[in-house]
Amino acid sequence: MDDWPIWVSAVALAVAMVLLVVAGGPFTRLVDRLADRTGIGETMAGVLLIGAVTALPGLITSILGAARGDAVFAMNNALGGIVLQTTFIALADVFYRRANLEHAAASLPNLLAPVGLSTMLAVVLAAGAGPQVTVFGVHPVSLLLVLVYWYWLRLSREVGERPMWRVEPTRLTHADEPDPEQMANGERLSSMWLRFAGLAAVVSLAGYLIGEAGLSLTERTGMSSGFVGAVITGFVTSVPELVTVLYAVRIRALHLAIGDIIGGNGFDVLFLSASDIVYREGSLYAAVNREVVLLVGLGIVLNLLVAAGLIRRQRDGIGFEGIAMFVVCGVGLAALAAVG
């Protein structure tokens, strides 16, 4: 497909953003009900259902970039999304006035999530620094990332069902328990899943528009593909997470909010595995440069700050970790603009 004119790319990005914002609220309410009706809980619903679907725009965007041979765009789109989305937790903390979000949503699965994600990011960093070995054009680390993610989800379920130590409950703690009203709701589960598929299709369409528009902007404006991927398309593809996390906090589905962000981040790392498959110019990780290293480092620092906040469990206010996350994100993006 020919590159779009700049004005077409701008309109496409705007239309995609509107689609994602409009779909975000109904989608969050639907997944909150599915979490209760299916019994999987808010955290796992956030990771598996919201995280997977809200990650679709970023996945499609990264795959389009890799298929066209722009490995840096594909990687930075995924990694830039992780940086922005993790910072959304601090933003949601500002809007949740009842207590510190990490205090209220403390749980072992939520605490394990940033540790698992940081491990995946460290694997990416090691892959970029190591030998660029491929099997049928795919780096073995792409499969390893899938296995690490699978093990993280399995371990999350185990620590949630059979914890070896427990979070101390307080009057501000919001337990991840089914809502009796939702359990008594007569809505058919099949119709709920059908609506889920329809909203996922809308999000996927937005992802295609974002990918094409971002690649066209790179060609037409001469901007660094890494910067466009990390900041412009990275932000737009992160809009679903922003909308869903703020809406989840509004309806007090706190574990859904945390699971949404961390789960979406996990899928974002898996973008690299998918992109490596369609990238036909060798190993995707051979394209690791200063921008990629910076974004991986920012992602690890931000997620460990989330873990620190969940351990510290400050009762009121945004907390030390929230302020630190805003500072790290701001300084990091400024550094990215400087090196890009």
Side-chain angles (χ1 to χ4, degrees):
M1 183 175 183
D2 294 333
D3 293 323
W4 295 345
I6 293 177
W7 71 269
V8 174
S9 298
V11 169
L13 287 172
V15 169
M17 188 175 294
V18 169
L19 285 174
L20 296 175
V21 169
V22 170
F27 183 68
T28 307
R29 289 197 304 270
L30 176 62
V31 173
D32 187 36
R33 295 199 303 274
L34 282 170
D36 293 335
R37 291 287 298 277
T38 60
I40 65 174
E42 288 182 4
T43 297
M44 293 305 294
V47 170
L48 294 175
L49 301 183
I50 292 187
V53 173
T54 56
L56 287 175
L59 173 63
I60 294 170
T61 300
S62 286
I63 287 177
L64 285 173
R68 294 191 182 186
D70 197 334
V72 173
F73 175 86
M75 297 186 78
N76 282 13
N77 175 72
L79 298 170
I82 291 172
V83 170
L84 294 170
Q85 288 155 201
T86 307
T87 309
F88 292 163
I89 293 178
L91 186 61
D93 211 351
V94 173
F95 283 87
Y96 188 68
R97 301 296 181 85
R98 296 173 181 267
N100 178 272
L101 182 60
E102 285 85 353
H103 178 98
S107 70
L108 291 187
N110 283 345
L111 180 57
L112 180 64
V115 177
L117 184 62
S118 296
T119 302
M120 295 177 72
L121 289 171
V123 169
V124 172
L125 201 60
Q132 299 306 309
V133 179
T134 61
V135 179
F136 298 111
V138 179
H139 197 293
V141 159
S142 293
L143 175 59
L144 178 60
L145 288 174
V146 176
L147 295 176
V148 171
Y149 186 71
W150 169 81
Y151 182 71
W152 160 25
L153 293 183
R154 177 181 174 184
L155 197 59
S156 294
R157 192 168 186 86
E158 288 181 1
V159 300
E161 295 175 349
R162 295 182 296 276
M164 295 300 291
W165 58 272
R166 297 184 181 277
V167 171
E168 181 68 25
T170 71
R171 64 180 180 82
L172 299 174
T173 305
H174 188 82
D176 185 1
E177 297 176 347
D179 184 346
E181 292 184 6
Q182 295 294 346
M183 297 295 289
N185 192 317
E187 185 176 6
R188 294 176 57 187
L189 194 58
S190 58
S191 65
M192 295 172 69
W193 283 118
L194 188 61
R195 288 179 57 201
F196 178 87
L199 288 168
V202 172
V203 174
S204 298
L205 172 62
Y208 172 76
L209 293 175
I210 295 165
E212 291 289 354
L215 291 166
S216 295
L217 281 176
T218 299
E219 293 295 327
R220 295 281 184 174
T221 65
M223 287 190 291
S224 160
S225 63
F227 181 81
V228 172
V231 178
I232 299 178
T233 64
F235 171 75
V236 179
T237 57
S238 298
V239 166
E241 281 85 358
L242 175 60
V243 174
T244 53
V245 73
L246 293 180
Y247 200 90
V249 166
R250 178 185 173 188
I251 63 176
R252 298 189 65 189
L254 307 185
H255 295 269
L256 191 69
I258 298 292
D260 165 26
I261 295 298
I262 302 300
N265 284 347
F267 278 106
D268 280 12
V269 180
L270 294 184
F271 295 174
L272 305 183
S273 298
S275 298
D276 191 28
I277 293 172
V278 300
Y279 184 66
R280 295 291 84 193
E281 299 180 22
S283 166
L284 183 81
Y285 307 98
V288 169
N289 58 13
R290 293 173 65 191
E291 293 177 338
V292 174
V293 171
L294 176 59
L295 288 171
V296 170
L298 288 173
I300 292 174
V301 171
L302 288 168
N303 277 278
L304 292 181
L305 282 171
V306 173
L310 288 165
I311 294 171
R312 171 65 177 82
R313 296 192 69 200
Q314 181 173 323
R315 290 175 179 266
D316 302 311
I318 186 174
F320 77 93
E321 77 286 350
I323 296 173
M325 288 167 68
F326 282 130
V327 172
V328 169
C329 181
V331 172
L333 292 181
L336 180 67
V339 303

